[in-house]
Amino acid sequence: MLYYVNININGADIKAPKGSSVLEVAIEYGICIPHLCHVPGLSDIGACRLCIVENITNGRATITTSCTLKVQEGMIIRTNTDRIKRLRHNIAELLVAEAPNSRAIQDIAVRCGVKEVRYPFRNGDCVLCGRCVRACSEIWHANALGFIGRGKERHVERPLNMREEYCKGCDYCLQLCPMTVPPCDGPMKPGEEYLCGKCESQLMITEDIPESCVWCRLGEGFNCGRYAGLKTVR
Amino acid sequence: MPHLNTKEDLEIMGKQLLLDREKINKTIIMCGGTGCTASRSRDVIDALNKELVIQEMDNEVHVRVTGCHGFCEQGPIAVIEPGNIFYCHINPEDAHDIVTKTVKNGEIIERLLYTDPVSGEKVCKESEIPFYKAQDRKLLFQNREVNPQSIEDYIAIGGFTALAKALDTLAPEEIIREIKISGLRGRGGGGFPTWRKWMECHEAPVDEKYVICNADEGDPGAYMDRCVLEGNPYLVIEGMLIGAYAIGATRGYIYVRNEYPLAVRHARNAVQQARRYGLLGENILGSSFSFDIDVARGGGAFVCGESTALMASLEGKVGEPRPKDVHTVVDGLWHKPTTLNNVETWANVPSIILKGASWFNSKGTRGSKGTKILALTGRIKNTGLVEVAMGTTIRHIVYDIGGGATNGKAIKAVQTGGPSGGCLSVDKFDLPVDFDVLYEAGSMVGSGGMVVMDESSCMVDVAKYFLTFLQDESCGKCVPCRLGIDRMLEIVTDITEGRGTLEQLELLEDLADTVTQTALCGLGKTAANPVLSTLRYFREEYEAHIIDNKCPAGVCKALIEYYIDPEKCTGCGTCKQACIHNAITGEKKEVHVINTDLCQKCGICRSECKFEAIQVS
């Protein structure tokens, strides 16, 4: 039997299943919280920090990631305050400057309101969201991928850089990787650090970032939890 | 070795050991801490012991090898009791003189005495040295009373009586209340009230609980945890025993970094000795309380000093922090309630229980009680570990204990709290060492590092140094910390190399704020502090780099040029000989010139010139 708790997200009173995370509940109810490292069905690690929300207790707002925050009775959550929007914009900007040629990261950045990027582009090919690593170890228990190194050296690698036989060839890592969505041929070059956003006509009608889910096509790009949820229903 | 079955056993043994100790009335207290060991104190100890055997005095004179006394720059140091005579910079060859003159006849050896760098006078007694006199040494003083390899030494000075008192007369709730009244706050950096951690852990309805001592100290220049754990591991163990009894834990871990071999050895040895005496194990001192400790070695990551990363490391996983939406006192090591405290916090517990909370909270400010050990380093005359009451002003520490600036240069700033702390300018020197006050000022007490900087330090360069350190040590899990620090470093590097713009300065502030608010763990959340605090107090230095393309302190190589002042140059040729890049030309007794194309700005000529003719612009 499911137990429910009452929480409040952006002013809306919501009955949320106990044990679920704030992000899951928000997605379920069509409240848009951009996210990257969260994949429905995998554990949440709070690495990308895009899904930050304000959790208001005793009138004090603390910022935390909604994917790791479990719902509790009486919780008050704000997902789209000016402070959150600014911080989310800055995080998305860091991400897109790192991997400007990834369609998924571009989508996220546009969704978070990034137009110009204030850092030089780097053209990296991994943003270390850890989707592949968790999928590999949690769905198939294959442990064929893992993180190696720390800080700047951190990268995804096979065990000891050699044990290829661990891989079961399920391809799930490739499906989940935000880098494998074919890149656009937009102006993602060093020295031209801005996002055109042309391919996302649905969102660009309004300058404001919507608070609720508008089934924007951006979600397809980065495997938004809502799309993924829909896929599993099918 | 007797097994201590009751409180009385401990008392009797303590008295007996104290009697034995008092029979030997002459003691040479020799520092065997890491600092003094590095300056060959082991050789001195061997020489002293040998000399005592030769003089047939080994039965009446005891050489007590202790942990760190705090005055490491003077090492190896020794204190000779009775008389409280303090000798520093001792060589093994001095052993003969020390034994024959001082120990035998009470004569004082002039050349081994400490010279006060402020007054220039020789000081004979340890208690009269200004460095020690201006301190309030509660924890550090115990180090010189105990040989860290001998539990008997610790029992002789009343060790484990606090444990006996707690087990015998106090209920767990009473202990927690005592800690609450004492106002003890976490010494590792956060300053979180210790009692609250204990209370929540105590109330958690689970049988299996853990206590952890965090000795994974990694701040550059800070070593107070090493000093306490290495110098008096029994104090930490006793503190952990009391804490474990209060919260109902059955198992404890001392997580000590592997780069502290002496601390690892002493902690392990102390645990074994305590087990042999029955002070760890089943039914301690005849009570129903059972507890044991294991010593775990850290793998060498700065981030493992963060509580959740430390627990992950203890569990055998990669030492990475995890979100703390549920606190570790409820869901910690192996998902059991876990209380983690710093070495210094644990070390404060026995005296609070023994002497009462009011003894502890009589010192300090409204929000911060007791004493704090600080690692004082930088451009000052006296460096080392200092212990002061909370609320002591920075000025007192820098000028009265530290003796003020070396080389007559003006002190510009003090960096407190290591990479997580910030820089405070000289007009903030009247601020007290207090968790809340320093936090308000944009810095923090942190674990207690205190680096004093003078005019020759460039604050942008300091920020760059800490960012480089943090970039190396960030685990890389979350975006704001990994990419944020990287980009901050990129911007600061641009500024130090003359490519900075004023827009970048705004971006730097914005980014620093983002990292502070959104990073996953405490390391990331405080990583921007060096940047934020230098921007707050030394913005003009940043602007000088950007607008005037000048480094006011003459540190950032891209922005400075060396030249020879023709008025001061005597044409001695020293600089010409010293320059490895052949950038200096000039005839003997004529003014020399630096060829700026060849000059690599290494600064060798400047340090060689006796006439201060080489200048930086």
Side-chain angles (χ1 to χ4, degrees), chain A residues 68-70 72, chain B residues 308 322-332:
Chain A
T68 55
L69 186 65
K70 296 275 179 265
Q72 269 169 10
Chain B
T308 53
R322 58 174 174 77
K324 274 204 271 191
D325 294 309
V326 181
H327 292 294
T328 51
V329 282
V330 179
D331 176 11

Side-chain angles (χ1 to χ4, degrees), chain B residues 325-360:
Chain B
D325 294 309
V326 181
H327 292 294
T328 51
V329 282
V330 179
D331 176 11
L333 188 63
W334 288 301
H335 297 293
K336 302 286 183 210
T338 306
T339 297
L340 177 137
N341 282 125
N342 176 259
V343 172
E344 219 187 311
T345 318
W346 288 123
N348 271 310
V349 171
S351 1
I352 294 175
I353 297 301
L354 199 63
K355 299 177 188 170
S358 51
W359 169 83
F360 185 80

Side-chain angles (χ1 to χ4, degrees), chain B residues 517-528:
Chain B
Q517 294 200 48
T518 60
L520 172 67
C521 73
L523 170 81
K525 282 196 168 88
T526 54

Side-chain angles (χ1 to χ4, degrees), chain A residues 7-232:
Chain A
I7 66 168
N8 181 303
I9 304 182
N10 295 347
D13 290 325
I14 289 173
K15 264 198 182 327
K18 209 173 174 186
S20 55
S21 72
V22 172
L23 180 62
E24 283 164 352
V25 174
I27 289 173
E28 184 70 29
Y29 280 83
I31 298 163
C32 183
I33 304 176
H35 52 271
L36 173 63
C37 67
H38 165 79
V39 176
L42 297 184
S43 67
D44 285 311
I45 52 170
C48 74
R49 317 302 289 173
L50 280 168
C51 67
I52 45 167
V53 291
E54 282 185 21
N55 178 12
I56 301 169
T57 38
N58 303 329
R60 254 189 84 231
T62 46
I63 289 180
T64 178
T65 44
S66 55
C67 65
T68 55
L69 186 65
K70 296 275 179 265
V71 289
Q72 269 169 10
E73 183 63 39
M75 212 172 218
I76 302 172
I77 302 292
R78 296 285 175 269
T79 69
N80 225 21
T81 58
D82 286 347
R83 182 179 173 204
I84 290 288
K85 273 195 237 173
R86 184 177 71 84
L87 295 173
R88 203 179 274 154
H89 165 277
N90 287 354
I91 297 170
E93 192 183 3
L94 282 172
L95 275 171
V96 78
E98 206 63 21
N101 279 321
S102 156
R103 160 83 196 282
I105 307 290
Q106 281 174 33
D107 283 357
I108 289 173
V110 171
R111 176 65 189 75
C112 296
V114 179
K115 292 195 180 73
E116 265 178 62
V117 181
R118 293 171 288 178
Y119 313 103
F121 281 155
R122 276 192 187 147
N123 280 333
D125 49 11
C126 177
V127 289
L128 301 169
C129 63
R131 286 175 164 203
C132 53
V133 173
R134 279 173 292 145
C136 192
S137 60
E138 289 171 20
I139 293 179
W140 289 103
H141 302 283
N143 294 322
L145 291 173
F147 287 117
I148 289 185
R150 72 168 183 241
K152 243 188 138 181
E153 308 288 310
R154 186 176 164 104
H155 60 283
V156 175
E157 191 56 90
R158 297 187 297 272
L160 308 172
N161 201 7
M162 51 201 265
R163 304 297 294 266
E164 284 172 43
E165 67 271 21
Y166 279 33
C167 176
K168 298 182 179 178
C170 72
D171 267 6
Y172 203 44
C173 49
L174 286 178
Q175 288 171 32
L176 284 178
C177 180
M179 298 298 161
T180 53
V181 183
C184 80
D185 36 344
M188 295 297 136
K189 299 177 192 75
E192 298 173 17
E193 279 98 4
Y194 64 91
L195 302 174
C196 69
K198 276 176 193 152
C199 47
E200 309 311 338
S201 49
Q202 285 193 30
L203 186 70
M204 286 302 121
I205 299 168
T206 53
E207 279 293 296
D208 281 344
I209 302 162
E211 222 175 273
S212 56
C213 176
V214 293
W215 292 101
C216 66
R217 284 175 45 229
L218 299 178
E220 288 175 340
F222 65 87
N223 257 328
C224 163
R226 201 156 198 215
Y227 276 90
L230 206 69
K231 272 183 206 160
T232 43

Side-chain angles (χ1 to χ4, degrees), chain B residues 133 292 308 611:
Chain B
K133 216 161 68 178
D292 205 354
T308 53
F611 309 99

